[in-house]
Structure formats: C-alpha cells, structure tokens
C-alpha cells in the first residue's frame, strides 16, 4: 500500500503534512517571490485589459471614453466589496492556519459563499433601478444626454451581472490564504484573455457578431468574469487543499461573520473610498470640461500598470504576514514586511520615472485630442509624484490587515483620500484651476505616509516586539524547521 493511501486513510496522519505550511518555514525571499509573482502576473494582465478596453472604447468617441470613466467608480465599488470581503476571509483563514485551527478556517471559507449572494443582491438592485438616476447627476446640459445613455448601458450590464466577479474573487482569496497563488493567476488570465478577444468583436461587430458599441464592451467583461469564475471554482471544489469549503452539517455563526468583517469591513470601506472620491473628483472636473474627466480616467488605467504589480506583491505578502503573526514568529513577520516595502518602493520609482519622461506617448495611446493631450501631459507628471509614498502606504495597509488591525488601514485611507485629498482638490482647483486636482494627490499621500509610520511603530512596540525571538525556540523546534526548509529547497 502506498504512503498516499495510508495518509488518506488516516486523517490524523495527514494532518501534520498540512500543518507544516510553507508560509511558516520556507525562506522568505523565495517564498515571497513564488507567492507574489503569480498575483503580479494576474494583476498586470488585468491592467492590460483595462487599458486595451479603454483604447477600444476611445475609438467609438470621446463621449464613450467619458461614459466608461463615469462608470469606473461603480466598478471600483464592486471590486471594493468583493476584495474587501475576500481580504477578511484571507486574513482570518491564514491566521487560523497559523494557529493550526483548521475547523475555523474551513468554517470561514464556507461562510464566504453566503456573503457572495448577499453582496450581489444589493448591487443587482442598484444596477436595475439606480443606474440612470446616478449618471443623470453628471448631465448639466442636453449635450451630455448621449454620454449618460452610454454610461447607463455599460453600467447596468456590469453591475447586474456582478455575481460572477464576486464568486471569482472569493474563491481566489480562499486559495491565496492557503499559499496557492497559481490558480488565482490562471483564472484571472483566462477571464482577461477572453475579455480582450471579445472586446473588438462585440464593440465593432467583427466576425459576424452584432455591432453593440459600448454595451458590447460590458458584455465582453461579464463573459470573461464567468469563465474566470468557472476555472477557480472547479479547482477549489475538486482539488485537495488545507481548507475545505463544505455545506454538509454547516452551522451559521455570527462569530465567524464578525471575525471576517473585523478586517473585511474596514478593508471594504478603505477600498470603497476611492470610488466615492472618484465620484466627487469627477464632479469637480466636469465643471472644467468632459476632457478633464477623461484625463483622470486615462490616468487611472495607466497607473494600474504600476499599482497592480504592487497590489500583486502585497497579495502574496499578506498570507505570509498573517500566518507568521498567528504563529508568533517575529523575525519572519518583519523580514517579509521589510522585503515587501523595499520591492514596492522600487516598482513605484520605476513607474514615476516612466510617467515623468513619457507622458505624451502614454496619452497618445487613447487617440487624445490636442486639448486632452496638453492637459494629460501635465496631469501625468503631477499625479505620478504620489507613487513612492503610496508604496509605503499600501505596504503598511497590508501589514495592518494581515495582523487583524483593519481599522488602522481604514484610518490612514480616510486621512489620505477623504480628509486631505478632497478638501485640498476642491480648494486648489479654485486657486490654480484643474492642476490643483492633480497636485492634491501627492500632497495627500505624503500626509498619510507620516500617519502610517506612526501606527506601525505603535503596533511594533506594543505587540510585535513582545513576541519571543527565534532563539527562544526549543532545539527540537529548530531542528524541525531546518528539516522542513531543506525539504522545500
């Protein structure tokens, strides 16, 4: 009889194989690299999709590009709710795996699927009844009627059919909490590639398909999400994992929901804040021109090439941080935090240099008019000054969430994007015009950077510093870790 058969026949023998989780013993640089690269590739592909989608839409008209930009905050809100809930699941599952409490980790994963349905119902009702009234807020003249029609058509589809997106994100976060970063990458790749292929076919009516315009772009989006969802769900439910999603003998637990949302709710609000901020900024910018709104939309899509790799990096880092915090291994927790911070800063530095040197070439990708090009060049250079301080803020936000201090992430985000950004954008726009909106971003990031450092120092002094050092481990524990590291390497 094979070893695998013996292990599968005896649950108690199979448990130690799961307990020796690579996040607690593998060398940190190699571990962070292997866990973050799949997420970075997935995020970069998503960034490619965002840009390609906008390039196709810009070929319809500048009104169409503005319409997609107006829908963008609602899409950000969808993602905020999905990812925020997923981050709460990820953090709880990773911490419970670190504590060897597998039953709690399984319960959290199963509860995540109930939250999917609840989240989708809320957005379905908004998409059905609230889309047109929302986009009508931006129409202050009859000339904008066409733009509102296109925004309503695009927005209704992507919001009402958001169930696929919610399910895909939740499954990805569950797998990432176990250290599996490959399948989330593959599912994202499948969804994005299908989306990119279908975009020109459905927008312009190629290969005998109907010419659907901006609605075709929305349909391509949800079809891509559907196939991405199928991919990751099939892996989650039909392959072996340290975490099991099951509804057999399932018992609903308010305590589990509370544990998820202690991190998820602040994280959700934190990610939803940019959506709210984007809505307000669009209102400020549209008082100057529709072109200003389009420029901000172009910036958000271009900066995703820089920010998405950093988000992918922190996706890989979060379960490592959470696991080692739960296992009370201080050196590994601080090592992965420092390495993540340095890597994120380098990525952002490269991005800032690109935006400073090649803003004209970047704007030209979107068939920009002369007015849009002139405004966009100035915007790219001003806005990219926020990249490096943002790297520090994103890393510390991930650190706070991984340790279960989601409220700290929320506090820093509120300071950065509401309390500082919006007032400064409004005041500066009155003083120096539209450039004031662009300048407010780096100003707000620098302010939040200071607050992040203060909160980090507080957590370190009152919690992390109190963890036992590695040399406090018994000789038996040290030998066990070394043997496991050798096997992994």
């Amino acid at each position: 009889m094979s070893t695998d058969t013996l292990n599968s026949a005896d649950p108690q023998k199979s448990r130690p194989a799961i307990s020796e989780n690579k996040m607690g013993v593998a060398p940190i640089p190699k571990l962070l690299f292997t866990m973050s690269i799949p997420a970075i590739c997935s995020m970069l592909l998503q960034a490619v999709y965002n840009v390609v989608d906008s390039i196709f839409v810009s070929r319809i008209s500048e009104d169409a590009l503005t319409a997609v930009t107006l829908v963008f905050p609602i899409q950000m809100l969808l993602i905020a709710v999905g990812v925020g809930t997923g981050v709460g699941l990820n953090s709880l599952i990773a911490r419970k795996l670190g504590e060897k409490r597998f039953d709690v980790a399984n319960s959290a994963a199963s509860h995540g699927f109930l939250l999917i349905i609840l989240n989708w119902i809320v957005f379905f009702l908004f998409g059905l009844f609230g889309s047109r009234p929302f986009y009508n807020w931006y129409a202050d003249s009859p000339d904008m009627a066409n733009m509102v029609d296109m925004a309503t058509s695009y927005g209704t589809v992507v919001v009402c059919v958001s169930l696929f997106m919610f399910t895909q994100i939740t499954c990805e976060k569950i797998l990432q909490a176990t250290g599996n970063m490959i399948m989330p990458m593959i599912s994202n790749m499948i969804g994005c590639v299908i989306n990119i292929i279908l975009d020109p076919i459905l927008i312009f009516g190629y290969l005998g398909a109907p010419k659907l315009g901006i609605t075709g772009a929305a349909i391509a989006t949800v079809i891509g999400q559907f196939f991405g969802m199928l991919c990751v769900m099939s892996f989650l439910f039909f392959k072996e994992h340290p975490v099991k999603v099951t509804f057999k003998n399932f018992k609903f637990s308010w305590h589990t929901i509370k544990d998820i949302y202690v991190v998820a709710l602040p994280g959700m609000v934190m990610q939803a804040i940019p959506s709210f901020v984007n809505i307000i900024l669009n209102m400020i910018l549209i008082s100057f021109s529709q072109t200003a709104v389009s420029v901000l939309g172009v910036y958000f899509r271009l900066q995703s090439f820089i920010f998405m790799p950093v988000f992918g990096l922190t996706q890989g880092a979060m379960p490592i941080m959470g696991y080692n915090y739960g296992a009370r291994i201080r050196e590994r927790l601080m090592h992965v935090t420092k390495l993540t911070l340095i890597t994120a800063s380098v990525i952002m530095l490269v991005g800032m240099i690109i935006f400073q040197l090649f803003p004209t070439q970047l704007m030209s990708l979107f068939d920009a008019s002369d007015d849009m090009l002139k405004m966009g060049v100035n915007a790219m250079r001003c806005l990219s000054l926020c990249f490096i301080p943002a790297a520090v803020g994103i890393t510390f936000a991930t650190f706070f969430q991984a340790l279960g201090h989601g409220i700290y992430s929320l506090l820093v985000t509120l300071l950065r994007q509401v309390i500082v950004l919006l007032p400064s954008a409004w005041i500066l726009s009155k003083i120096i015009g539209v450039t004031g909106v662009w300048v407010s971003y780096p100003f707000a990031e620098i302010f939040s950077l200071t607050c992040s450092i203060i909160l980090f120092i507080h957590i370190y002094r009152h919690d992390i510093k109190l963890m036992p050092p590695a040399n406090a481990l018994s000789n038996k524990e040290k030998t066990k870790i070394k043997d496991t590291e050798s096997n992994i390497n």
Side-chain angles (χ1 to χ4, degrees):
M1 186 179 292
S2 69
T3 303
D4 290 342
T5 304
L6 286 170
N7 287 343
S8 63
D10 188 347
Q12 296 302 317
K13 290 184 179 181
S14 64
R15 180 63 72 192
I18 293 176
S19 65
E20 295 298 343
N21 196 302
K22 64 182 180 180
M23 291 184 287
V25 294
I28 290 296
K30 180 180 178 181
L31 180 62
L32 180 60
F33 178 82
T34 55
M35 290 190 65
S36 62
I37 286 299
I40 290 173
C41 292
S42 177
M43 290 286 196
L44 277 174
L45 188 59
Q46 184 65 44
V48 170
Y49 155 70
N50 286 335
V51 171
V52 171
D53 185 64
S54 296
I55 290 174
F56 284 134
V57 168
S58 70
R59 298 302 189 266
I60 300 174
S61 66
E62 190 171 311
D63 272 358
L65 184 59
T66 303
V68 171
T69 301
L70 295 181
V71 177
F72 187 61
I74 304 302
Q75 290 179 289
M76 290 170 65
L77 188 59
L78 283 168
I79 295 171
V81 172
V83 173
T85 303
V87 165
L89 281 170
N90 184 300
S91 178
L92 179 59
I93 291 170
R95 281 183 280 124
K96 296 311 171 184
L97 289 177
E99 296 169 7
K100 309 298 185 285
R101 298 181 63 185
F102 302 98
D103 55 335
V104 181
N106 292 341
S107 177
S110 301
H111 278 76
F113 278 80
L114 296 179
L115 300 177
I116 290 172
I117 302 299
L118 295 176
N119 291 335
W120 172 67
I121 290 173
V122 172
F123 280 98
F124 176 81
L125 293 175
F126 171 80
L128 206 59
F129 302 109
S131 289
R132 183 167 291 278
F134 175 78
Y135 300 117
N136 274 331
W137 286 355
Y138 296 98
D140 58 1
S141 70
D143 296 338
M144 296 183 178
N146 184 49
M147 178 194 68
V148 170
D149 288 341
M150 287 191 286
T152 302
S153 298
Y154 185 89
T156 300
V157 173
V158 297
V159 173
C160 286
V161 198
S162 56
L163 178 63
F164 305 147
M165 184 207 70
F166 284 130
T167 306
Q168 181 181 357
I169 290 174
T170 299
C171 293
E172 288 174 356
K173 293 302 179 185
I174 292 172
L175 289 174
Q176 287 171 354
T178 69
N180 186 331
M181 309 299 289
I182 299 297
M183 278 312 301
M185 178 191 72
I186 293 174
S187 70
N188 259 307
M189 288 178 63
I190 289 173
C192 288
V193 169
I194 290 174
N195 201 334
I196 291 171
I197 292 172
L198 291 179
D199 255 339
I201 294 174
L202 296 180
I203 291 173
F204 304 112
Y206 296 150
L207 303 178
K211 185 177 179 180
L212 300 176
I214 198 168
T215 304
I219 294 173
T221 296
V222 298
I223 291 176
Q225 290 168 349
F226 172 75
F227 282 100
M229 177 196 71
L230 285 184
C231 174
V232 73
M233 281 189 71
S234 63
F235 191 87
L236 179 63
F237 283 97
F238 299 110
K239 297 291 183 180
E240 291 295 321
H241 310 287
V243 173
K244 298 292 183 183
V245 178
T246 177
F247 295 98
K248 184 178 181 180
N249 300 321
F250 175 79
K251 293 182 179 179
F252 179 81
S253 169
W254 282 111
H255 182 72
T256 300
I257 297 294
K258 177 185 175 183
D259 283 346
I260 291 171
Y261 277 103
V262 163
V263 174
L265 190 57
M268 189 185 302
V269 174
M270 183 177 67
Q271 294 200 52
I273 286 171
S275 174
F276 167 75
V277 170
N278 200 260
I279 292 171
I280 301 301
L281 290 177
N282 282 340
M283 290 180 175
I284 295 173
L285 291 171
I286 208 164
S287 66
F288 292 98
S289 66
Q290 287 183 226
T291 299
V293 175
S294 296
V295 166
L296 185 64
V298 167
Y299 163 74
F300 275 121
R301 284 157 178 78
L302 289 173
Q303 59 91 22
S304 65
F305 276 104
I306 313 303
F307 278 74
M308 287 297 190
V310 174
F311 290 139
L313 174 70
T314 56
Q315 275 192 22
M318 178 179 282
I320 306 173
M321 293 175 182
Y323 185 96
N324 286 284
Y325 178 72
R328 310 301 287 175
I329 307 176
R330 184 176 67 191
E331 284 75 10
R332 291 179 62 80
L333 173 61
M334 296 311 300
H335 190 178
V336 69
T337 302
K338 180 179 178 181
L339 187 58
T340 302
L341 182 60
I342 293 172
T343 307
S345 298
V346 171
I347 293 171
M348 288 295 199
L349 175 61
V350 172
M352 186 185 74
I353 293 172
I354 292 172
F355 272 63
Q356 292 293 322
L357 295 180
F358 307 107
T360 302
Q361 290 82 350
L362 293 174
M363 290 299 304
S364 297
L365 293 172
F366 297 86
D367 200 24
S369 62
D370 290 340
D371 288 342
M372 186 175 175
L373 189 62
K374 182 179 179 181
M375 183 184 294
V377 167
N378 181 47
M380 298 301 123
R381 286 180 172 151
C382 291
L383 289 163
S384 62
L385 295 175
C386 76
F387 284 6
I388 295 178
V392 181
I394 292 169
T395 301
F396 282 146
T398 302
F399 177 84
F400 299 149
Q401 290 173 327
L403 272 59
H405 295 289
I407 193 68
Y408 285 179
S409 296
L410 175 60
L411 175 60
V412 171
T413 303
L414 284 171
L415 288 170
R416 186 184 77 206
Q417 297 196 3
V418 177
I419 299 174
V420 179
L421 177 61
L422 289 181
S424 62
W426 183 78
I427 293 170
L428 291 174
S429 69
K430 299 298 182 183
I431 298 172
I432 58 176
V434 71
T435 301
V437 177
W438 318 140
V439 172
S440 64
Y441 268 86
F443 175 73
E445 289 288 0
I446 292 170
F447 184 89
S448 69
L449 170 63
T450 305
C451 298
S452 298
I453 293 173
I454 293 171
L455 292 173
F456 173 80
I457 293 172
H458 173 77
I459 292 175
Y460 184 84
R461 288 177 176 175
H462 292 85
D463 188 355
I464 298 169
K465 192 176 181 180
L466 303 179
M467 292 181 183
N471 57 19
L473 295 172
S474 67
N475 290 330
K476 184 178 179 180
E477 289 172 321
K478 290 179 181 178
T479 302
K480 192 175 184 180
I481 290 175
K482 287 182 179 178
D483 290 344
T484 309
E485 286 182 342
S486 298
N487 292 334
I488 291 174
N489 291 327

